[in-house]
Amino acid sequence: MRRQRLKLASLAFIVGGVIFGLGLSIGDRASLNSAQLALGVMSQAVAANAAANSKPPSGAADTDGLFQPVAAVLRHPRCMNCHPRDDRPRQNDDRHIHLQNVVRGVDNMGFVNARCYACHRDENSEFSGVPGAPTWHLAPLSMGWQGLDDGDLCKALIDKTKNGDKSITQLVEHMEKDPLVLWGWAPGADRTPVSTPHPEFMTQLKAWANAGAPCPVSAK
């Protein structure tokens, strides 16, 4: 690209010089003015071409990286523990498999003899330390995020066939108001809360959504 700009600039200089010289040789003021005008027009063309080539593709500068801070929150253990790509919920910051042999069950709320609500109530237990929030359950298997890069994570998030038929607006509202989501910022006990403050996360999420929810290119 740089070589192309140099070639154009050299061509403009040569052509302009020839025209300028012709104007001087015939002593015609009109020719001199025409030569100067031609040189100015070509210089402007070269400058416009250089400016165009220096810009990224349309929209790229506005959307690059918008999903990265969102993905960082979604990958936090408080979120990822309930978004596995298998039938086993995870626990704690090291994301080990849930003890007591807990499994997904047909409705994402545990097998018949070990239902999620048997232990997880609508709020954290101060006595046992068991975490709790309303409708405690695993995310649907279609919303499993473990191991996905930013591109695939973004696609899974916005795919209405996988996310419970939610629009982008509904996804934003879900992450802004759902008590189970909000629990990630107030998990209690010695659990690490989501590091990005929730208001800051919502600003980042809405910036991404308002840009059309663009997805990064997958590494695959």
Side-chain angles (χ1 to χ4, degrees):
M1 187 178 297
R2 182 180 180 184
R3 185 176 298 175
Q4 182 183 10
R5 292 199 297 268
L6 289 173
K7 287 182 178 179
L8 287 171
S10 298
L11 179 61
F13 182 81
I14 293 171
V15 173
V18 170
I19 298 174
F20 187 79
L22 287 174
L24 288 178
S25 63
I26 60 178
D28 184 4
R29 183 176 296 275
S31 297
L32 178 59
N33 290 338
S34 297
Q36 291 173 330
L37 178 61
L39 183 58
V41 170
M42 291 200 68
S43 297
Q44 292 176 0
V46 170
N49 180 74
N53 287 329
S54 66
K55 294 180 180 179
S58 178
D62 297 329
T63 59
D64 276 355
L66 282 179
F67 187 69
Q68 291 177 358
V70 176
V73 168
L74 301 185
R75 287 199 180 95
H76 193 279
R78 298 293 77 76
C79 301
M80 197 68 77
N81 283 351
C82 290
H83 284 265
R85 295 178 69 190
D86 56 25
D87 294 329
R88 304 295 299 274
R90 273 38 175 196
Q91 290 180 305
N92 296 349
D93 290 350
D94 63 0
R95 305 198 58 246
H96 63 260
I97 290 177
H98 199 302
L99 303 179
Q100 297 87 37
N101 196 31
V102 173
V103 294
R104 177 183 299 278
V106 296
D107 60 355
N108 305 309
M109 296 190 72
F111 193 61
V112 64
N113 64 340
R115 302 291 282 168
C116 296
Y117 52 73
C119 296
H120 299 279
R121 302 300 183 174
D122 287 349
E123 57 187 14
N124 295 332
S125 172
E126 297 181 5
F127 302 102
S128 67
V130 174
T135 66
W136 191 275
H137 65 282
L138 274 178
L141 189 58
S142 63
M143 286 299 286
W145 297 339
Q146 184 178 2
L148 300 182
D149 63 22
D150 282 7
D152 288 337
L153 175 57
C154 179
K155 292 173 187 176
L157 184 66
I158 65 177
D159 188 340
K160 296 180 72 174
T161 67
K162 296 181 178 181
N163 70 10
D165 198 35
K166 287 184 175 64
S167 66
I168 303 300
T169 300
Q170 290 170 326
L171 282 172
V172 171
E173 183 177 3
H174 169 66
M175 296 189 195
E176 187 171 28
K177 299 178 180 179
D178 191 299
L180 185 55
V181 173
L182 294 175
W183 172 88
W185 280 266
D190 59 351
R191 290 173 287 267
T192 306
V194 176
S195 53
T196 303
H198 189 255
E200 180 179 340
F201 168 65
M202 290 310 305
T203 298
Q204 296 165 341
L205 182 69
K206 290 177 181 179
W208 167 74
N210 291 338
C215 288
V217 176
S218 176
K220 297 179 182 179

Coordinates of all heavy atoms in Angstrom, one line a residue, residues 103-154:
V103 N -26.1 -34.0 38.2 CA -26.2 -33.9 36.8 C -27.4 -33.0 36.3 O -28.2 -32.7 37.1 CB -26.3 -35.3 36.2 CG1 -25.1 -36.2 36.5 CG2 -27.6 -36.0 36.7
R104 N -27.4 -32.8 35.0 CA -28.3 -31.8 34.5 C -29.8 -32.2 34.7 O -30.6 -31.3 35.1 CB -28.0 -31.7 33.0 CG -29.0 -30.7 32.2 CD -28.6 -30.7 30.7 NE -27.3 -30.2 30.5 CZ -26.9 -28.9 30.5 NH1 -27.8 -28.0 30.7 NH2 -25.7 -28.6 30.3
G105 N -30.2 -33.3 34.3 CA -31.6 -33.7 34.3 C -32.3 -33.2 33.0 O -31.7 -32.4 32.2
V106 N -33.5 -33.6 32.8 CA -34.2 -33.3 31.5 C -34.6 -31.8 31.4 O -34.8 -31.3 30.3 CB -35.5 -34.2 31.4 CG1 -35.1 -35.6 31.3 CG2 -36.4 -34.0 32.5
D107 N -34.7 -31.1 32.6 CA -35.1 -29.7 32.5 C -34.1 -28.8 33.0 O -34.4 -27.6 33.4 CB -36.4 -29.6 33.4 CG -36.2 -29.9 34.8 OD1 -35.1 -30.4 35.2 OD2 -37.2 -29.8 35.6
N108 N -32.8 -29.2 33.1 CA -31.7 -28.4 33.5 C -31.7 -28.1 35.0 O -30.9 -27.2 35.4 CB -31.6 -27.1 32.7 CG -31.5 -27.4 31.2 OD1 -30.7 -28.2 30.7 ND2 -32.4 -26.7 30.5
M109 N -32.5 -28.8 35.8 CA -32.6 -28.5 37.2 C -32.3 -29.7 38.0 O -32.7 -29.8 39.2 CB -34.1 -28.0 37.5 CG -34.4 -26.7 36.9 SD -35.9 -25.9 37.4 CE -35.4 -25.4 39.1
G110 N -31.5 -30.6 37.5 CA -31.1 -31.8 38.2 C -31.9 -33.0 38.0 O -33.0 -33.0 37.5
F111 N -31.2 -34.2 38.3 CA -31.9 -35.4 38.1 C -33.0 -35.6 39.2 O -33.0 -34.8 40.2 CB -30.9 -36.6 38.2 CG -31.4 -37.9 37.8 CD1 -31.9 -38.1 36.5 CD2 -31.5 -39.0 38.7 CE1 -32.4 -39.3 36.1 CE2 -32.0 -40.2 38.3 CZ -32.4 -40.4 37.0
V112 N -33.9 -36.5 39.0 CA -35.0 -36.7 39.8 C -34.7 -36.8 41.3 O -35.5 -36.3 42.2 CB -35.9 -37.8 39.4 CG1 -35.2 -39.2 39.5 CG2 -37.3 -37.9 40.1
N113 N -33.6 -37.4 41.6 CA -33.3 -37.6 43.1 C -32.3 -36.6 43.6 O -31.8 -36.7 44.7 CB -32.7 -39.1 43.3 CG -31.4 -39.3 42.6 OD1 -31.1 -38.5 41.6 ND2 -30.6 -40.3 43.0
A114 N -31.9 -35.6 42.8 CA -31.0 -34.6 43.2 C -31.3 -33.3 42.5 O -30.6 -32.8 41.7 CB -29.6 -35.0 43.0
R115 N -32.5 -32.7 42.8 CA -32.9 -31.5 42.2 C -32.2 -30.3 42.7 O -31.8 -30.3 43.9 CB -34.4 -31.3 42.5 CG -35.3 -32.4 42.0 CD -35.3 -32.6 40.5 NE -36.2 -31.5 39.9 CZ -36.3 -31.2 38.6 NH1 -35.5 -31.8 37.8 NH2 -37.1 -30.3 38.2
C116 N -31.9 -29.3 41.9 CA -31.1 -28.2 42.2 C -31.7 -27.5 43.5 O -31.0 -27.1 44.4 CB -31.0 -27.2 41.1 SG -30.1 -27.8 39.6
Y117 N -33.1 -27.3 43.5 CA -33.7 -26.6 44.5 C -33.7 -27.4 45.9 O -34.2 -26.8 46.9 CB -35.1 -26.2 44.2 CG -36.0 -27.3 43.6 CD1 -36.5 -28.3 44.5 CD2 -36.4 -27.4 42.3 CE1 -37.4 -29.3 44.1 CE2 -37.2 -28.4 41.8 CZ -37.7 -29.3 42.7 OH -38.5 -30.4 42.2
A118 N -33.3 -28.6 45.9 CA -33.2 -29.3 47.1 C -32.1 -28.7 48.0 O -32.3 -28.8 49.3 CB -32.8 -30.8 46.9
C119 N -31.2 -28.1 47.4 CA -30.1 -27.4 48.2 C -30.0 -25.9 48.0 O -29.8 -25.1 48.9 CB -28.7 -28.0 47.9 SG -28.6 -29.8 48.4
H120 N -30.3 -25.5 46.7 CA -30.1 -24.1 46.3 C -31.5 -23.4 46.4 O -32.4 -23.6 45.6 CB -29.6 -24.0 44.9 CG -28.2 -24.6 44.7 ND1 -27.1 -24.0 45.1 CD2 -27.9 -25.8 44.3 CE1 -26.0 -24.8 44.8 NE2 -26.5 -25.9 44.3
R121 N -31.6 -22.5 47.4 CA -32.8 -21.7 47.6 C -32.7 -20.4 46.9 O -31.9 -20.2 46.0 CB -33.0 -21.5 49.1 CG -33.1 -22.8 49.9 CD -34.3 -23.7 49.4 NE -34.4 -24.9 50.2 CZ -35.4 -25.8 50.1 NH1 -36.3 -25.6 49.1 NH2 -35.5 -26.9 50.8
D122 N -33.6 -19.5 47.2 CA -33.7 -18.2 46.5 C -32.6 -17.2 47.0 O -32.6 -16.1 46.4 CB -35.1 -17.6 46.8 CG -36.2 -18.3 46.0 OD1 -35.9 -19.1 45.1 OD2 -37.4 -18.0 46.3
E123 N -31.8 -17.6 47.9 CA -30.8 -16.7 48.4 C -29.7 -17.6 49.0 O -29.9 -18.8 49.3 CB -31.3 -15.7 49.4 CG -31.9 -16.3 50.6 CD -32.6 -15.3 51.5 OE1 -32.8 -14.1 51.1 OE2 -32.9 -15.7 52.7
N124 N -28.5 -17.0 49.2 CA -27.4 -17.7 49.8 C -27.8 -18.1 51.2 O -28.4 -17.3 51.9 CB -26.1 -16.8 49.8 CG -25.6 -16.5 48.4 OD1 -25.8 -17.3 47.5 ND2 -24.9 -15.4 48.3
S125 N -27.3 -19.3 51.6 CA -27.5 -19.7 53.0 C -26.4 -19.2 53.9 O -25.2 -19.5 53.6 CB -27.6 -21.2 53.1 OG -27.7 -21.7 54.4
E126 N -26.7 -18.5 54.9 CA -25.7 -18.0 55.8 C -25.1 -19.1 56.7 O -24.0 -19.0 57.3 CB -26.3 -16.9 56.7 CG -26.7 -15.6 56.0 CD -27.2 -14.6 56.9 OE1 -27.2 -14.8 58.1 OE2 -27.7 -13.5 56.4
F127 N -25.9 -20.2 56.8 CA -25.5 -21.3 57.8 C -24.7 -22.3 57.1 O -23.6 -22.7 57.5 CB -26.8 -21.9 58.4 CG -27.6 -20.9 59.1 CD1 -28.8 -20.4 58.6 CD2 -27.2 -20.5 60.4 CE1 -29.5 -19.5 59.2 CE2 -28.0 -19.5 61.1 CZ -29.2 -19.0 60.5
S128 N -25.1 -22.8 55.9 CA -24.4 -23.9 55.2 C -23.4 -23.3 54.2 O -22.5 -24.0 53.8 CB -25.4 -24.8 54.5 OG -26.1 -24.0 53.4
G129 N -23.6 -22.0 53.8 CA -22.7 -21.5 52.7 C -23.1 -21.9 51.3 O -22.5 -21.5 50.4
V130 N -24.2 -22.6 51.2 CA -24.7 -23.0 49.9 C -25.2 -21.8 49.1 O -26.0 -21.0 49.7 CB -25.8 -24.1 50.0 CG1 -26.4 -24.3 48.6 CG2 -25.3 -25.3 50.6
P131 N -24.8 -21.5 47.9 CA -25.3 -20.4 47.2 C -26.7 -20.5 46.7 O -27.2 -21.7 46.6 CB -24.3 -20.3 45.9 CG -23.9 -21.8 45.7 CD -23.8 -22.4 47.1
G132 N -27.4 -19.4 46.5 CA -28.7 -19.5 46.1 C -29.2 -18.2 45.4 O -28.7 -17.1 45.6
A133 N -30.2 -18.5 44.5 CA -30.8 -17.4 43.7 C -32.1 -18.0 43.1 O -32.2 -19.2 43.0 CB -29.9 -16.8 42.6
P134 N -33.1 -17.2 42.8 CA -34.3 -17.7 42.3 C -34.1 -18.5 41.0 O -33.2 -18.2 40.2 CB -35.1 -16.5 42.0 CG -34.6 -15.4 42.9 CD -33.2 -15.7 43.1
T135 N -34.8 -19.6 40.8 CA -34.7 -20.5 39.7 C -33.3 -21.0 39.4 O -32.8 -21.0 38.3 CB -35.3 -19.8 38.4 OG1 -34.5 -18.7 38.0 CG2 -36.7 -19.4 38.6
W136 N -32.6 -21.4 40.4 CA -31.2 -21.9 40.3 C -31.3 -23.2 39.4 O -32.0 -24.1 39.6 CB -30.7 -22.3 41.7 CG -29.2 -22.6 41.7 CD1 -28.6 -23.8 41.3 CD2 -28.2 -21.7 42.0 NE1 -27.3 -23.6 41.4 CE2 -27.0 -22.4 41.9 CE3 -28.2 -20.3 42.4 CZ2 -25.7 -21.8 42.1 CZ3 -26.9 -19.8 42.7 CH2 -25.7 -20.5 42.5
H137 N -30.5 -23.1 38.3 CA -30.5 -24.2 37.3 C -29.3 -24.1 36.4 O -28.7 -23.0 36.3 CB -31.8 -24.2 36.5 CG -32.0 -23.0 35.6 ND1 -32.4 -21.8 36.2 CD2 -31.8 -22.8 34.3 CE1 -32.5 -20.9 35.2 NE2 -32.1 -21.5 34.0
L138 N -29.0 -25.1 35.6 CA -28.0 -25.0 34.6 C -28.6 -24.3 33.4 O -29.8 -24.4 33.1 CB -27.6 -26.4 34.2 CG -26.4 -27.1 34.9 CD1 -26.2 -28.5 34.4 CD2 -25.2 -26.3 34.9
A139 N -27.7 -23.6 32.6 CA -28.1 -23.1 31.3 C -28.4 -24.3 30.4 O -27.8 -25.3 30.5 CB -27.1 -22.2 30.8
P140 N -29.3 -24.1 29.4 CA -29.5 -25.2 28.4 C -28.2 -25.6 27.8 O -27.2 -24.8 27.7 CB -30.4 -24.5 27.4 CG -31.1 -23.4 28.2 CD -30.1 -22.9 29.1
L141 N -28.1 -26.9 27.4 CA -26.9 -27.4 26.8 C -26.5 -26.6 25.6 O -25.3 -26.5 25.3 CB -27.1 -28.9 26.5 CG -25.9 -29.7 26.0 CD1 -24.8 -29.6 27.1 CD2 -26.2 -31.1 25.7
S142 N -27.5 -26.1 24.9 CA -27.2 -25.3 23.7 C -26.5 -24.0 24.0 O -25.9 -23.4 23.1 CB -28.5 -24.9 22.9 OG -29.4 -24.1 23.8
M143 N -26.5 -23.6 25.3 CA -25.8 -22.4 25.7 C -24.5 -22.8 26.5 O -24.1 -22.0 27.3 CB -26.7 -21.5 26.6 CG -27.8 -20.8 25.8 SD -27.1 -19.7 24.6 CE -26.5 -18.4 25.6
G144 N -24.0 -23.9 26.2 CA -22.7 -24.3 26.8 C -21.6 -23.4 26.2 O -21.5 -23.4 25.0
W145 N -20.8 -22.8 27.0 CA -19.8 -21.9 26.5 C -18.3 -22.4 26.7 O -17.4 -21.8 26.2 CB -19.9 -20.5 27.3 CG -21.2 -19.8 27.0 CD1 -22.0 -20.0 26.0 CD2 -21.8 -18.8 27.9 NE1 -23.1 -19.2 26.1 CE2 -23.0 -18.4 27.3 CE3 -21.4 -18.2 29.1 CZ2 -23.8 -17.4 27.8 CZ3 -22.2 -17.3 29.6 CH2 -23.4 -16.9 29.0
Q146 N -18.2 -23.4 27.5 CA -16.8 -23.9 27.9 C -16.0 -24.2 26.6 O -16.5 -24.9 25.7 CB -16.9 -25.1 28.8 CG -15.6 -25.7 29.2 CD -15.8 -26.9 30.2 OE1 -16.9 -27.3 30.4 NE2 -14.7 -27.4 30.7
G147 N -14.8 -23.6 26.5 CA -13.9 -24.0 25.4 C -14.1 -23.2 24.1 O -13.4 -23.3 23.2
L148 N -15.2 -22.3 24.1 CA -15.4 -21.5 22.9 C -14.5 -20.3 22.8 O -14.3 -19.6 23.9 CB -16.9 -21.1 22.8 CG -18.0 -22.2 22.8 CD1 -19.3 -21.6 22.7 CD2 -17.7 -23.2 21.7
D149 N -14.0 -20.0 21.6 CA -13.3 -18.7 21.5 C -14.3 -17.6 21.4 O -15.5 -17.8 21.4 CB -12.4 -18.7 20.3 CG -13.1 -18.9 19.0 OD1 -14.3 -18.6 18.9 OD2 -12.4 -19.3 18.0
D150 N -13.8 -16.3 21.3 CA -14.7 -15.2 21.3 C -15.7 -15.2 20.2 O -16.9 -14.9 20.4 CB -13.9 -13.9 21.2 CG -13.2 -13.5 22.5 OD1 -13.3 -14.3 23.5 OD2 -12.6 -12.4 22.6
G151 N -15.3 -15.6 19.0 CA -16.2 -15.7 17.9 C -17.4 -16.6 18.1 O -18.5 -16.3 17.9
D152 N -17.0 -17.9 18.5 CA -18.1 -18.9 18.7 C -18.9 -18.6 19.9 O -20.1 -18.9 19.9 CB -17.4 -20.3 18.8 CG -16.9 -20.8 17.5 OD1 -17.3 -20.3 16.5 OD2 -15.9 -21.6 17.5
L153 N -18.3 -18.0 20.9 CA -19.1 -17.6 22.1 C -20.1 -16.6 21.8 O -21.3 -16.6 22.2 CB -18.2 -17.1 23.2 CG -18.8 -16.5 24.5 CD1 -19.7 -17.5 25.1 CD2 -17.7 -16.0 25.4
C154 N -19.7 -15.6 21.0 CA -20.6 -14.5 20.5 C -21.8 -15.1 19.7 O -22.9 -14.8 19.9 CB -19.8 -13.5 19.8 SG -20.8 -12.1 19.1

